[in-house]
Amino acid sequence: IAAAAFAVVLVEHARGVVFPAVPAELAILLSTVAACGARLALHDRGNQRLRNAFVGRISPEVLDIVLQTLPMEGESREVTLMLCNVRGFTGHSQGRDPQTMMKELNEHFDQMSECILRHGGMVTQYAGDRVLAMFGAPARYHDHAHRAVVCALEMLTREDLLNERRIAAGWQPWMLGIGIHTGDATLGFVEERGQRLEYTIHGEAVRIASRIEALNKKYSTQILLSLSTRDQMGVDLATVWKGTLVRDDGKEEAFYTV
């Protein structure tokens, strides 16, 4: 508003029109309105950048919570991580038509990500045939371990339905390997060339989830979870001890299947 008024003054002055001096109170009012407008514009742009960082990665309901509560600076928080991998994917893709293979992979990702979002998780990364998901951030849920395990069980059910179609079409069924771990991680935003925001996760918790996932092949299981997850997920899910791994910090971490 102030800028528009100033432009009018310049134009009229060029035509020989002289305006009386603007009272100090009005000048203060105009400058205040202009400053508020600028702050609102910056706030809207900031919210849009946040939305862009999470679009398609969390549910709309979770996004509304995140926009109101998520800090922009980095933080350390306990979360539950899930890594889902298609076992033997290279063998499934060999000799297959690329278009058909990618369509099948996208159907798989659609089902897995829909399940993750439905349970309040966030899809943090797609890499090849792998999906990394996080529960307990960016939206805080105290039952993030339980949500992750229940989500993993539902993912197996959804993959079974996809396998029925694969078998009917004469293709091999897919087997999943899912690793779940609960632990502290460093969370925060990184900027891509000062434009796009990316919400990232770092720390040993990610490596432990990956190592646990890889053990599914050795133990012929589809879901393995750490002792940390087992202790927090609740007693309504039965588990079976499978083994122990040594963490980067030298501590042992038992893992289980459900």
Side-chain angles (χ1 to χ4, degrees), residues 186-204:
T186 300
L187 310 167
F189 291 97
V190 295
E191 285 189 281
E192 295 181 8
R193 290 172 290 186
Q195 297 179 356
R196 178 179 172 82
L197 288 174
E198 189 77 21
Y199 191 66
T200 61
I201 177 169
H202 308 276
E204 188 184 10

Side-chain angles (χ1 to χ4, degrees), residues 82-88 92 108 112 129 131 151-160 162-163 166 173-179 213 216-217 220-224:
M82 173 201 291
L83 187 64
C84 176
N85 177 50
V86 179
R87 287 165 50 187
H92 290 304
H108 162 75
M112 299 303 103
D129 58 293
V131 181
C151 177
L153 292 169
E154 183 178 328
M155 288 164 74
L156 294 187
T157 300
R158 292 188 180 220
E159 199 65 38
D160 285 342
L162 292 175
N163 280 333
R166 294 185 184 110
W174 289 11
M175 295 287 289
L176 301 183
I178 301 175
E213 183 277 316
N216 279 291
K217 183 177 181 180
S220 300
T221 53
Q222 291 197 81
I223 299 177
L224 287 174

Side-chain angles (χ1 to χ4, degrees), residues 54-76:
F54 293 115
V55 65
R57 295 179 179 270
I58 58 178
S59 67
E61 295 79 15
V62 171
L63 179 57
D64 289 338
I65 298 173
V66 167
L67 291 177
Q68 299 175 31
T69 62
L70 186 67
M72 291 299 294
E73 63 275 8
E75 63 173 333
S76 179

Side-chain angles (χ1 to χ4, degrees), residues 6-7 11 25 59 69 78 99 103 109 113 123 125 146 149 152-154 181 186 197 203 210 212 228:
F6 183 65
V11 171
E25 294 84 355
S59 67
T69 62
E78 184 184 69
Q99 287 77 20
K103 179 182 178 183
F109 281 149
S113 61
V123 177
Q125 186 182 61
H146 186 270
V149 177
L153 292 169
E154 183 178 328
H181 174 63
T186 300
L197 288 174
S210 179
I212 289 175
S228 302

